[in-house]
Amino acid sequence: KLPDGYDEKQFIGNLADHYTLRKEPAITERIRFFDTFDWRLFNMSLVLYGSGNKLLLRKLAKSKIIHTIEIASLPVFIRDFPEGELKRRLAPIIKMRALLKLVELYSQSTTYRILNRDKKTVVRFAYEEIRLSRDKGAPSLGTYLWLKPIKGYPKYSRNLAKQFEKAGLIIAKKEDIYFKALEGVDKKPGSYTAKVNIKLDPGMCADEATKIILGLLLQVIRINEAYIDKDLDTEFVHEFRVAIRKTRSALGQIQCVFPTKTTERFKKEFAFVGKLSNELRDLDVYLLNENTYKAMLPPVLRDDIDPLFDYLRKKRSKAFRQVVSGLKSKKYEKILKDWEVFLNQPRQDDGTAPNAELPIVDLASKRIYKKYRRVVKAGNLILENAEDEMLHVLRIHCKKLRYLMEFFSSLFARKKINVLIDQLKKLQDNLGDFNDLCVQEEYLLNITKELPTTHRQPGWDPGQRKTDRERCVC
């Protein structure tokens, strides 16, 4: 590694006094690093980057390439990747999220050959400068000299290495340019997560701890809200909605830590905020599962369902515009600003908040156990008489219990609480899938009444009995 401010011309000139040098044409390489908004690749210790017409995957802090593919254009979603091992590797990680460009840098490298008396190349070295811009005046992220020994001439490279060290060069530590590039554009890898990752003091007053949790959820709301109108991917709406839902759940489940009037007011207002995106999220779910729905049909019928999804896409465009409009409304902004003011103001003595000064570990234990008993009771009732509505009620209880356990997980033994949360999540997912199917069945039956009637099969006779194909079109 060359010290800062090291002059290339002077350095090469000094070498030319002792060696016969041959300079090769300089090569400029543009390198672009990619990840999802929530750092899914980084969290798996993976680095995805593009160079020329290639996309490459490697491990963090490793130089060995795991997978590489040639691309005509940069993929945004996993569906845009060409079939192959790279797509199979990334699909369960990226899922429905869009790939975003994190940073772009430029590497200019010039290779020099050192010749012996017989004019044979005995060693190569490359002088490399890395910048965030093509402009040579831009700040350098690093200047490096790469020594490349030639087979059969080991002593030349050893002698040259000694001379480099005498000249003040140091062997570069193992560092990943990925981190330096992100630091250069003021990005911190792993800086965003929608999870409630906080360390609470067990003796902290319940109202103070609850405000910390709610403040973190407000950050998630605001971060995702800022990206919704860009429509980069559907997860911004989803994580916005989940943070709203968790806020409402916290207000309802962590009881008597705030004045009753305040709690009731914001429960209603966040219910309003949550409803803004209900239709959009439902439509996103249908469209995300388009290929899954098609795969359920015989191949001969799969194209016949296209009119349905064309119609859903049109409805989605309208619903999206309504959400963006709602988020720009004065009512929405007042709710969020008033909420932020409340979270930052000191406690006010109020007889309707008797749990405000309780140690948070005591209140958390009490509330979790009470909600757990509700889950068990609802589950036992289903064993006696299972109905769709009862399964829906159990799902809601499970969701509220899981939120409480996630809010307060730092107050309990990590391994034990994480196992319980994972088990509960599996149950909740199963109940959620069942509920979604019930809702989707009803929705799709209703949507058939709205579908345009222009998609008729050639020779269709309204008086004849519908075939299976025509029933599918309907």
Side-chain angles (χ1 to χ4, degrees):
K1 183 178 179 181
L2 277 75
D4 291 339
Y6 215 92
D7 186 86
E8 179 187 4
K9 290 183 179 178
Q10 182 182 350
F11 175 77
I12 298 300
N14 291 337
L15 281 176
D17 292 338
H18 300 88
Y19 299 99
T20 301
L21 299 180
R22 291 290 182 269
K23 181 180 179 181
E24 296 182 0
I27 298 173
T28 299
E29 182 183 13
R30 182 176 65 156
I31 301 168
R32 291 161 289 176
F33 291 101
F34 302 95
D35 207 335
T36 61
F37 183 78
D38 52 359
W39 302 95
R40 295 188 178 193
L41 295 174
F42 171 78
N43 291 332
M44 297 296 290
S45 297
L46 294 172
V47 177
L48 183 70
Y49 64 101
S51 177
N53 66 337
K54 291 184 177 179
L55 202 59
L56 307 99
L57 183 72
R58 64 173 171 83
K59 278 282 188 181
L60 202 61
K62 302 287 184 183
S63 58
K64 183 180 178 182
I65 305 301
I66 303 172
H67 299 293
T68 179
I69 58 170
E70 291 191 3
I71 52 172
S73 59
L74 287 170
V76 177
F77 295 98
I78 196 65
R79 62 175 178 265
D80 302 326
F81 280 74
E83 294 299 329
E85 192 58 36
L86 180 61
K87 183 174 183 177
R88 286 191 289 273
R89 175 73 177 264
L90 296 182
I93 301 172
I94 296 174
K95 296 182 180 177
M96 72 296 292
R97 294 235 69 158
L99 280 176
L100 308 177
K101 184 176 74 174
L102 300 175
V103 62
E104 183 172 272
L105 54 83
Y106 294 85
S107 163
Q108 185 168 29
S109 178
T110 305
T111 297
Y112 295 87
R113 293 184 293 120
I114 293 181
L115 309 181
N116 64 8
R117 291 177 182 177
D118 298 328
K119 305 299 182 183
K120 290 184 177 180
T121 301
V122 293
V123 67
R124 283 189 175 90
F125 66 90
Y127 185 95
E128 181 187 33
E129 286 185 318
I130 300 176
R131 290 185 166 85
L132 292 170
S133 166
R134 289 183 184 272
D135 183 6
K136 279 208 167 187
S140 172
L141 293 178
T143 306
Y144 304 93
L145 208 64
W146 298 88
L147 190 58
K148 302 178 179 181
I150 300 294
K151 189 175 181 180
Y153 301 96
K155 69 176 183 178
Y156 286 92
S157 59
R158 286 199 298 266
N159 291 338
L160 195 59
K162 289 178 182 178
Q163 291 191 35
F164 285 167
E165 290 179 21
K166 286 181 181 179
L169 280 68
I170 58 173
I171 296 175
K173 297 178 181 178
K174 284 188 176 180
E175 59 181 5
D176 198 322
I177 194 65
Y178 171 83
F179 290 108
K180 295 194 74 172
L182 290 175
E183 184 181 354
V185 292
D186 198 26
K187 288 183 180 179
K188 185 178 178 181
S191 55
Y192 169 78
T193 176
K195 295 180 180 178
V196 183
N197 289 330
I198 47 175
K199 180 70 176 176
L200 296 174
D201 181 345
M204 185 183 293
C205 289
D207 63 339
E208 181 185 354
T210 304
K211 282 190 174 184
I212 291 174
I213 294 167
L214 292 168
L216 183 62
L217 291 171
L218 178 59
Q219 288 181 32
V220 175
I221 291 168
R222 285 299 200 184
I223 289 170
N224 284 281
E225 165 207 304
Y227 286 87
I228 287 174
D229 65 344
K230 296 177 175 62
D231 206 17
L232 299 174
D233 64 41
T234 59
E235 285 300 283
F236 290 103
V237 171
H238 178 55
E239 294 195 351
F240 171 83
R241 286 173 54 78
V242 171
I244 295 289
R245 196 160 58 232
K246 287 182 177 179
T247 297
R248 292 177 60 201
S249 183
L251 285 169
Q253 298 304 309
I254 311 174
Q255 296 180 346
C256 300
V257 294
F258 303 140
T260 300
K261 286 185 179 179
T262 301
T263 301
E264 293 304 314
R265 172 198 167 187
F266 284 112
K267 280 170 65 177
K268 290 178 182 177
E269 293 191 336
F270 276 106
F272 162 78
V273 173
K275 289 177 182 177
L276 288 176
S277 56
N278 279 353
E279 184 180 13
L280 177 60
R281 179 56 188 170
D282 288 344
L283 290 164
D284 279 342
V285 170
Y286 296 130
L287 293 170
L288 284 170
N289 288 306
E290 179 175 357
N291 290 334
T292 303
Y293 293 138
K294 285 187 174 182
M296 294 178 181
L297 297 172
V300 70
L301 298 180
R302 287 175 188 171
D303 291 343
D304 293 342
I305 203 173
D306 285 342
L308 169 63
F309 287 100
D310 290 341
Y311 183 67
L312 293 179
R313 271 185 277 274
K314 290 179 182 178
K315 285 180 68 70
R316 198 255 177 203
S317 296
K318 181 180 178 182
F320 175 74
R321 291 193 297 270
Q322 290 174 341
V323 168
V324 172
S325 177
L327 296 181
K328 291 179 179 179
S329 67
K330 291 181 179 179
K331 181 176 180 179
Y332 170 81
E333 192 55 36
K334 185 177 187 310
I335 290 172
L336 271 290
K337 283 186 176 179
D338 287 354
W339 180 235
E340 185 175 5
V341 168
F342 168 71
L343 293 179
N344 290 320
Q345 72 183 19
R347 179 192 305 147
Q348 297 176 349
D349 292 333
D350 189 292
T352 62
N355 292 335
E357 296 186 32
L358 277 179
I360 189 58
V361 68
D362 294 344
L363 183 61
S365 300
K366 180 180 177 181
R367 294 301 306 161
I368 288 172
Y369 183 59
K370 186 171 183 178
K371 181 52 65 176
Y372 159 75
R373 291 177 64 186
R374 291 287 297 273
V375 168
V376 172
K377 183 178 180 180
N380 286 335
L381 289 174
I382 289 170
L383 293 176
E384 297 173 8
N385 181 24
E387 293 181 1
D388 290 0
E389 185 58 32
M390 295 173 71
L391 286 166
H392 174 62
V393 170
L394 176 61
R395 182 181 70 89
I396 297 299
H397 284 316
C398 286
K399 185 179 292 185
K400 291 178 178 179
L401 173 59
R402 180 178 148 214
Y403 288 164
L404 283 173
M405 293 167 71
E406 289 176 344
F407 294 155
F408 302 121
S409 61
S410 65
L411 300 174
F412 306 99
R414 179 178 296 179
K415 287 186 178 179
K416 290 184 178 180
I417 194 72
N418 285 347
V419 167
L420 295 173
I421 290 173
D422 287 343
Q423 290 174 341
L424 186 57
K425 187 177 185 300
K426 289 177 183 177
L427 172 59
Q428 187 185 327
D429 286 346
N430 287 332
L431 293 167
D433 288 344
F434 180 81
N435 182 72
D436 288 347
L437 290 171
C438 292
V439 172
Q440 289 168 18
E441 180 182 34
E442 183 178 354
Y443 181 85
L444 292 173
L445 287 171
N446 288 332
I447 211 75
T448 57
K449 301 172 185 176
E450 303 175 19
L451 275 172
T453 57
T454 55
H455 302 287
R456 305 294 194 191
Q457 296 296 320
W460 180 80
D461 179 359
Q464 74 179 32
R465 186 174 181 273
K466 291 181 180 177
T467 65
D468 288 342
R469 173 184 284 271
E470 288 159 351
R471 280 197 292 274
C472 181
V473 174
C474 292

